Amino acid sequence: MMERFNRAVALGGACWRVLMLDKEMLLFPILSVLALGGVLGLVFTPAYMYGTLQQFAETLQESGDPYTNPSFVALMFLLYFLGYFVVTFFNAGLLTCAMIRMSGEDPTVMDGLRAAARMLPQIFAWALFAASVGMILNFISSRSKGLGRIFAGLMGAAWSVAVYFAVPALVVEGVGPVRAVRQSVGMIRKTWGEALVANAGLTILHLAAVYLTIPFVFFLVKDWEQDPVRSMVIAALLVVWIAFTGLIVSTLNAILKAALYIYAYEGRVPENFDSHIMRNAFSED
């Protein structure tokens, strides 16, 4: 297990080197957040201005069980769909740029956006499929208690693992959602150790960055009344720090997916990756 962890660390270092060659890849998660915010604003702003949103919230409060309200179910599905569609679109662009770099070429942000635009039918189908599964899992979780809730959580975790390579499959092969899940499961079987350990390592890295802010939070609480302006500046810097580290981790994770998928699908060692590391990543130990 220690050897597998060391290989995962080496993969993470290689992903960092790729990112340093094309720092503009960091723009894709930013564009994703901005686009999602814009889309949700277009959905909710008119409803809020005309009072429809408030009436809808009151109706849900009176009903007790929101899933008995067809409007709630439709709204939830719309939000799931929009979220998956926007995030998948920009992830596809990011993965395209990573794969171009790993082929020895120099990508641009427009290369990624154009590639994602060409895949709109596949992205649309994937968003519908993923939103449906997400709604079902959320419904099961809301109806479960005790061990049932734990089982529902395990189902959600298993789904997250199963679709780890789904978007790379969309990018490389342009397949439909069911085929993408099958391809993803096949890749996970080959790379389960490195993919999951490296992904967990990146998640832990982000959590560590968040935990580093805890002493500053205590300082803010104590200092707020004495110097609120300084406290607000520090609070803003902490938010920027957490967002920036999350941005880097999500981009590194996309690069990792691209590298493992390229090697598993094409049998080619990605540019800037060590052939020994990649071969060992697919070993049985």
Side-chain angles (χ1 to χ4, degrees), residues 14 32 124 169 171 183 193 200 236 282:
S32 179
F124 183 87
V171 171
Q183 290 289 100
F282 291 81

Side-chain angles (χ1 to χ4, degrees), residues 200-258:
L202 292 173
T203 302
I204 291 171
L205 181 65
H206 188 217
L207 288 175
V210 173
Y211 289 145
L212 284 175
T213 65
I214 292 177
F216 295 96
V217 173
F218 284 116
F219 173 78
L220 285 175
V221 173
K222 293 177 63 176
D223 192 56
W224 189 267
E225 292 185 0
Q226 296 179 5
D227 194 339
V229 175
R230 180 174 62 186
S231 298
M232 290 177 64
V233 171
I234 294 174
L237 290 174
L238 293 180
V239 171
V240 170
W241 166 255
I242 293 172
F244 181 67
T245 54
L247 178 69
I248 291 176
V249 167
S250 65
T251 307
L252 290 175
N253 188 33
I255 295 171
L256 172 67
K257 290 180 187 179

Side-chain angles (χ1 to χ4, degrees), residues 85-283:
F85 184 87
V86 172
V87 171
T88 303
F89 179 87
F90 289 101
N91 276 349
L94 171 55
L95 285 163
T96 297
C97 287
M99 290 177 176
I100 291 173
R101 168 53 64 184
M102 292 176 200
S103 298
E105 300 177 36
D106 187 15
T108 65
V109 172
M110 287 307 301
D111 289 331
L113 293 177
R114 280 193 290 265
R118 288 194 296 270
M119 289 181 278
L120 280 176
Q122 290 89 343
I123 293 172
F124 183 87
W126 172 253
L128 282 177
F129 179 74
S132 301
V133 174
M135 281 286 294
I136 293 170
L137 290 174
N138 188 55
F139 177 79
I140 294 172
S141 178
S142 68
R143 290 292 188 277
S144 304
K145 295 181 180 179
L147 291 176
R149 187 173 289 272
I150 294 174
F151 178 70
L154 291 175
M155 287 176 60
W159 168 251
S160 298
V161 171
V163 299
Y164 185 78
F165 288 111
V167 178
L170 292 175
V171 171
V172 174
E173 301 180 68
V175 295
V178 175
R179 179 73 181 276
V181 174
R182 289 177 181 170
Q183 290 289 100
S184 178
V185 171
M187 296 298 170
I188 285 291
R189 287 173 180 169
K190 292 181 180 181
T191 69
W192 71 271
E194 275 62 36
L196 299 185
V197 172
N199 183 59
L202 292 173
T203 302
I204 291 171
L205 181 65
H206 188 217
L207 288 175
V210 173
Y211 289 145
L212 284 175
T213 65
I214 292 177
F216 295 96
V217 173
F218 284 116
F219 173 78
L220 285 175
V221 173
K222 293 177 63 176
D223 192 56
W224 189 267
E225 292 185 0
Q226 296 179 5
D227 194 339
V229 175
R230 180 174 62 186
S231 298
M232 290 177 64
V233 171
I234 294 174
L237 290 174
L238 293 180
V239 171
V240 170
W241 166 255
I242 293 172
F244 181 67
T245 54
L247 178 69
I248 291 176
V249 167
S250 65
T251 307
L252 290 175
N253 188 33
I255 295 171
L256 172 67
K257 290 180 187 179
L260 292 175
Y261 197 93
I262 285 173
Y263 189 80
Y265 182 73
E266 300 180 11
R268 172 176 62 85
V269 177
E271 193 85 12
N272 301 299
F273 280 76
D274 184 84
S275 59
H276 178 70
I277 294 173
M278 295 305 294
R279 281 196 302 270
N280 287 339
F282 291 81
S283 64

Side-chain angles (χ1 to χ4, degrees), residues 36 39-41 43-44 53 56 72-87 127 131 135:
L36 188 56
V39 169
L40 294 179
V43 172
F44 284 108
L53 196 60
F56 182 63
F72 172 81
V73 175
L75 177 62
M76 284 292 292
F77 183 81
L78 176 64
L79 294 178
Y80 268 100
F81 171 77
L82 291 175
Y84 277 112
F85 184 87
V86 172
V87 171
M135 281 286 294

